[in-house]
Amino acid sequence: NGSVNDAKNLRVKLVLLGDSGVGKSCIVLRFVRGQFDPTSKVTIGASFLSQTIALQDSTTVKFEIWDTAGQERYAALAPLYYRGAAVAVVVYDITSPESFQKAQYWVKELQKHGSPDMVMALVGNKADLQENREVTVQDGIDYAEKNGMFFIETSAKTADNINQLFEEIAKRLPRPTP
Ligand code: GDP
Ligand code: MG
């Protein structure tokens, strides 16, 4: 299921899915490099980054993060991309109801074709744009709850909840029995 594990150190493949423009690449760059570049252009080619975090129980989790380079536009390619992923992060933009609809489409795809023990997170990004909000927090909570997902709102711009997102995912990973 994408995890290469011993009891103390986990290594997991994580994929991001969601409409183009919701902030997937910015979330990754914020988490891995602590940066936000509002002028950064769409990644050309596949992008792969990794980041290790330590949990309080002294286990470590190394995320191998696959960021799409616009393949999100080609639904048919997606199964190749999320194959073997232990974690799927489905992202929408809280100012865009269309992106919330698209997120729901991806969740259904993952339920049909992803591995059954995949940890799934639903992320409402651009939470700094409160004045333009069009998807309520409750909408996100309700959808995530119905689908057994973890839910959080983030801002890659302000860094709000970015580390928390990955920490919460890490806590939810299935542990190998020692
Ligand atoms: P992707 O296509 O999903 O990878 O989206 P990008 O990461 O390329 O981001 C698309 C646009 O949204 C860029 O102009 C970013 O500067 C902007 N953006 C990303 N995250 C945030 C955020 O949290 N807040 C705001 N205000 N803008 C964001
Ligand atoms: Mg991108």
Side-chain angles (χ1 to χ4, degrees), residues 1-177:
N1 66 355
S3 322
V4 179
N5 299 320
D6 61 42
K8 281 287 181 190
N9 305 287
L10 310 189
R11 180 155 65 91
V12 297
K13 174 178 173 181
L14 179 151
V15 296
L16 291 113
L17 291 163
D19 248 355
S20 196
V22 297
K24 299 182 298 298
S25 299
C26 287
I27 288 170
V28 175
L29 286 179
R30 173 60 85 182
F31 173 56
V32 174
R33 303 213 180 117
Q35 296 170 350
F36 178 76
D37 178 359
T39 66
S40 74
K41 291 286 174 293
V42 178
T43 330
I44 309 295
S47 167
F48 176 86
L49 288 167
S50 72
Q51 176 75 313
T52 303
I53 63 172
L55 297 179
Q56 291 197 330
D57 61 359
S58 84
T59 59
T60 66
V61 177
K62 181 179 185 182
F63 289 110
E64 299 181 336
I65 303 171
W66 298 66
D67 182 23
T68 61
Q71 297 101 319
E72 58 265 45
R73 296 192 196 88
Y74 309 106
L77 294 180
L80 291 173
Y81 169 71
Y82 55 72
R83 174 177 301 159
V87 182
V89 176
V90 180
V91 184
Y92 64 91
D93 168 351
I94 66 153
T95 74
S96 162
E98 297 75 27
S99 76
F100 187 54
Q101 288 302 314
K102 196 58 184 284
Q104 296 178 26
Y105 162 83
W106 285 119
V107 171
K108 291 190 192 97
E109 284 296 298
L110 291 164
Q111 287 168 343
K112 272 189 260 171
H113 305 297
S115 81
D117 54 355
M118 193 182 249
V119 173
M120 289 203 274
L122 180 67
V123 175
N125 189 44
K126 308 198 187 182
D128 57 288
L129 299 178
Q130 285 301 330
E131 64 282 9
N132 302 117
R133 176 190 287 278
E134 292 202 33
V135 182
T136 67
V137 177
Q138 198 60 45
D139 287 340
I141 292 173
D142 288 347
Y143 186 77
E145 211 162 74
K146 270 192 215 117
N147 290 277
M149 303 171 80
F150 165 67
F151 173 72
I152 195 166
E153 287 195 350
T154 59
S155 169
K157 185 174 181 179
T158 65
D160 220 37
N161 274 349
I162 297 292
N163 287 338
Q164 287 83 344
L165 164 63
F166 291 90
E167 280 161 20
E168 290 299 327
I169 289 167
K171 286 186 205 160
R172 285 169 171 75
L173 291 169
R175 301 282 154 166
T177 37

